[in-house]
Amino acid sequence: MNIVIAGAGIAGLSAAEAARSHDPKAGIVLFSAERQRPYYRPRLPQVVSGEVSPDQIYVHPEEWFRERSIEFRLGESLIEVNPESRLARGSLGSRLSYDRLLIATGAAPFLPDAARNFKLPGVYPLRTLLDATDLRHAARKARTAVLLGSGLLGLEAGHALTEAGLTVHVLEMSDRVLPFQTTPRSSAKLRKILEAKSFIFHLEAEAERAEGAERLERVVLKSGAGINCELLAVSAGIVPEVSLASALGLKTERGIVVDQFLETTSPGVYAAGDCAQTPDRRGGMWIIARAEGLAAGFNIAQADPAARKPYAPPRPTAVLKVAGVDLTAVGNIDPEGKLPAAECEEGDVYRKVVLSPAGLLIGFTVLGTRNGVAELTGAMGKAVPGDVLEALSEPGFDFSRLRDLRLPD
Ligand SMILES: Cc1cc2nc3c(=O)[nH]c(=O)nc-3n(C[C@H](O)[C@H](O)[C@H](O)COP(=O)(O)OP(=O)(O)OC[C@H]3O[C@@H](n4cnc5c(N)ncnc54)[C@H](O)[C@@H]3O)c2cc1C
């Protein structure tokens, strides 16, 4: 069995690992457009802040690939595939025949117009190790940055820049910081905590254009206001990298469409990670890309298609670290405030517990601590009596009370 994998991020790497452990004899060739060995992408902000050096974030040492007979084509993209003859061609001239092909080409950062249209130095997306070292060098000479986007990755990148000594202006189109994980009150609290760490937030704000004579000097907002800055960091979402898949004629929507076995619309061609659109449509996360890679690796190593296993998505971890602050958001946190809920603030800690109209716990968020998270998670779906809901809005709530709650009959 000859297996060819395009992309050596965590999805491609995990697939190679799984395929090798299920087929010790298969030929496995891993193409990587990047020149570095696979690394922990979520640790890039730490490279920007200088907390770790690039060589501390590699997933495996060089020997790992040799010991597993995984042939690694570093710095070579897979550029052409002929699904009829099952031939693949690399950008440095490799020509290979394959029995199974896995596309694990990841994603590219989405660049809003203001960033994309500015052609001089000063605009920095953060996706690759090269991006991180570029941003680190730029940060050394800068005092003020503008950051497009206050999602999780954006705030991590912003945190790295504040750690490197910069003041960071965050432009966020929504009226909340970290809009997918906060309510108005947790957003306000998070904003206050982060403002004490050299963040300045501009909510309901959008960049109109970037300006500068020889390099970036200013970002002008749609409101007409201008922010003088030396660098513009961009974290405004991702675009799945589907060009190889499109050239092959595979079905793509928000990503490369795959079935429960992670097989694309072309038999023998699979896709996993940020480039793929699985039936559950989740993505953009490390543990998901790894789980998909492992599942795809197992399936491509099966000579008999009946031996394949359907992919079971992992539960994404609910406890996040946002710029050094703990934040958990589970289920429906009802940012519009339409459902019965208990909210409580105490110092830098905030929590909100949301019930369905029938009184069942359907979501919660906790900021600034992990206390109570395990108990609240265990109480999801259970009926919460009125006196417990009332007590949940008081500081010092005894979370062991949640252990007595029961699922509805
Ligand atoms: C700064 C940052 C912080 C993050 N933090 C978190 C976090 O805290 N938690 C979390 O869950 N997730 C986080 N993520 C997201 C997570 O890192 C990604 O979901 C995950 O890395 C996706 O892995 P992947 O293998 O699908 O794609 P990628 O890691 O993008 O790898 C794809 C690889 O394929 C290469 N490639 C593309 N086309 C070709 C081709 N034709 N031939 C060969 N190679 C090709 C690309 O160059 C790339 O190296 C973060 C991401 C970033 C950028």
Side-chain angles (χ1 to χ4, degrees):
M1 167 93 73
N2 285 327
I3 294 171
V4 168
I5 300 174
I10 191 61
L13 178 69
S14 304
E17 177 189 336
R20 171 56 71 231
S21 68
H22 294 291
D23 185 346
K25 293 198 184 121
I28 303 177
V29 182
L30 191 51
F31 281 88
S32 169
E34 289 186 71
R35 291 181 181 281
Q36 298 82 13
R37 291 200 302 283
Y39 52 85
Y40 287 101
R41 218 171 274 287
R43 297 195 70 187
L44 291 180
Q46 291 168 282
V47 173
V48 176
S49 66
E51 205 177 312
V52 298
S53 63
D55 56 9
Q56 286 176 291
I57 66 166
Y58 291 123
V59 180
H60 295 303
E62 274 174 36
E63 313 80 81
W64 189 90
F65 299 89
R66 274 200 301 278
E67 285 163 9
R68 284 160 188 76
S69 301
I70 294 170
E71 208 180 306
F72 203 176
R73 309 264 162 114
L74 265 188
E76 180 166 18
S77 296
L78 195 67
I79 52 168
E80 204 181 304
V81 174
N82 183 332
E84 273 95 54
S85 57
R86 299 209 164 186
L87 278 172
R89 189 162 71 84
S91 56
L92 300 180
S94 302
R95 282 171 191 277
L96 298 168
S97 66
Y98 68 87
D99 301 297
R100 302 276 191 277
L101 171 69
L102 174 71
I103 303 180
T105 46
F110 170 70
L111 291 185
D113 288 348
R116 202 180 53 244
N117 295 338
F118 188 73
K119 303 296 178 201
L120 296 170
V123 175
Y124 295 90
L126 179 57
R127 179 74 194 178
T128 65
L129 191 48
L130 210 58
D131 293 339
T133 49
D134 282 352
L135 185 52
R136 174 155 175 73
H137 287 130
R140 282 207 185 115
K141 293 179 233 143
R143 296 171 66 174
T144 308
V146 168
L147 168 66
L148 297 190
S150 79
L152 261 181
L153 306 189
L155 290 182
E156 283 309 312
H159 182 51
L161 292 172
T162 61
E163 295 280 292
L166 279 79
T167 297
V168 177
H169 289 260
V170 184
L171 304 190
E172 170 56 58
M173 285 163 71
S174 155
D175 60 356
R176 300 198 302 280
V177 176
L178 202 61
F180 294 116
Q181 284 93 358
T182 57
T183 65
R185 277 172 75 177
S186 59
S187 162
K189 197 153 236 15
L190 183 61
R191 176 178 179 168
K192 202 166 141 230
I193 297 170
L194 297 181
E195 279 174 347
K197 299 186 179 196
S198 301
F199 280 93
I200 297 171
F201 287 95
H202 305 260
L203 299 182
E204 297 179 274
E206 219 178 313
E208 168 78 23
R209 63 182 182 280
E211 290 179 346
E214 286 173 15
R215 52 168 302 117
L216 179 73
E217 291 170 21
R218 191 177 314 101
V219 171
V220 179
L221 313 194
K222 292 217 159 133
S223 66
I227 303 170
N228 292 337
C229 59
E230 296 88 24
L231 67 87
L232 174 61
V234 187
S235 183
I238 56 171
V239 185
E241 174 46 65
V242 300
S243 50
L244 185 63
S246 301
L248 261 158
L250 306 182
K251 183 173 177 192
T252 63
E253 288 172 356
R254 283 163 59 192
I256 306 165
V257 175
V258 291
D259 65 11
Q260 56 174 337
F261 300 107
L262 299 157
E263 192 171 26
T264 68
T265 43
S266 175
V269 181
Y270 290 69
D274 281 4
C275 65
Q277 179 183 314
T278 50
D280 69 321
R281 288 172 165 259
R282 286 209 329 250
M285 290 178 79
W286 180 269
I287 58 160
I288 292 176
R290 170 144 176 84
E292 289 178 9
L294 289 173
F298 175 85
N299 286 340
I300 56 182
Q302 307 306 315
D304 174 8
R308 298 177 308 168
K309 287 187 191 154
Y311 160 68
R315 259 184 166 216
T317 158
V319 186
L320 309 166
K321 258 286 193 244
V322 187
V325 184
D326 284 316
L327 173 66
T328 306
V330 173
N332 182 353
I333 60 171
D334 186 32
E336 298 82 24
K338 292 187 177 149
L339 293 166
E343 282 186 280
C344 175
E345 273 187 62
E346 196 184 6
D348 277 347
V349 172
Y350 162 87
R351 73 169 169 266
K352 177 177 181 183
V353 179
V354 179
L355 305 193
S356 67
L360 307 182
L361 200 160
I362 55 167
F364 68 90
T365 177
V366 178
L367 175 71
T369 180
R370 292 181 180 206
N371 283 347
V373 168
E375 292 87 344
L376 284 163
T377 307
M380 281 290 284
K382 295 182 177 169
V384 180
D387 61 321
V388 176
L389 186 66
E390 206 171 299
L392 271 164
S393 54
E394 302 295 331
F397 177 77
D398 174 8
F399 288 99
S400 66
R401 287 180 72 180
L402 299 178
R403 294 192 194 125
D404 300 330
L405 302 185
R406 295 277 162 263
L407 288 167
D409 297 329

